[in-house]
Amino acid sequence: MHKQDTEIKINEIIEAITDKKGSKITLLDMSDIDTAPADRFVICQGKSTSQVSSVADSVRERLQKNLDVKPYNYDGYKNSQWIIIDYGDVMVHVFLPEQREFYNLEDLWSDAKSTVLPDLD
């Protein structure tokens, strides 16, 4: 996967998240970490399980429609407290605030380059 393709994917993911009012978007660049499961993580949150689901749906629909890209896998819709979408080079994590705090991926991968995007509202 080309770095440029990854950036295009990330931009679409961010648009899809903000379309559904997902908040507290953090990008982790783990491309220099050998043991990382993906080059990039996009982490965000929704206020309710229904918003978490709709943010995740928005990401999947937008990448399919605009880039003709389907995820390799996704999981978490059953409870919609933490939905993960795996695009190989990019993994998207959509959390409820409590789950995000509990799993604290930003701290777990603290050696990654972290970029926090400002909320739009």
Side-chain angles (χ1 to χ4, degrees):
M1 182 60 62
H2 295 80
K3 191 171 175 61
Q4 183 183 1
D5 295 339
T6 300
E7 294 307 316
I8 291 168
K9 209 180 286 180
I10 299 241
N11 290 333
E12 290 290 338
I13 290 166
I14 292 166
E15 290 289 323
I17 292 167
T18 55
D19 280 354
K20 296 297 179 187
K21 307 283 189 259
S23 63
K24 301 197 183 338
I25 302 170
T26 301
L27 307 176
L28 296 183
D29 182 342
M30 303 183 299
S31 53
D32 295 334
I33 303 170
D34 293 337
T35 56
D39 285 346
R40 307 286 287 276
F41 275 8
V42 180
I43 304 167
C44 69
Q45 64 192 47
K47 294 178 178 74
S48 64
T49 54
S50 57
Q51 187 184 19
V52 167
S53 295
S54 84
V55 167
D57 286 344
S58 176
V59 168
R60 291 175 40 225
E61 289 161 9
R62 187 176 183 108
L63 267 69
Q64 170 87 49
K65 180 176 167 236
N66 294 355
L67 303 179
D68 197 28
V69 172
K70 289 183 181 175
Y72 292 107
N73 207 345
Y74 53 88
D75 195 20
Y77 276 94
K78 190 171 177 193
N79 297 323
S80 295
Q81 296 176 351
W82 174 11
I83 296 176
I84 183 168
I85 311 167
D86 180 0
Y87 287 102
D89 56 335
V90 180
M91 292 181 115
V92 183
H93 301 267
V94 188
F95 283 102
L96 280 178
E98 311 82 70
Q99 269 65 28
R100 182 175 184 169
E101 201 175 305
F102 179 80
Y103 291 102
N104 198 351
L105 296 183
E106 292 93 335
D107 198 43
L108 186 66
W109 293 99
S110 60
D111 43 352
K113 291 185 224 76
S114 177
T115 307
V116 178
L117 303 184
D119 284 340
L120 296 179
D121 54 352

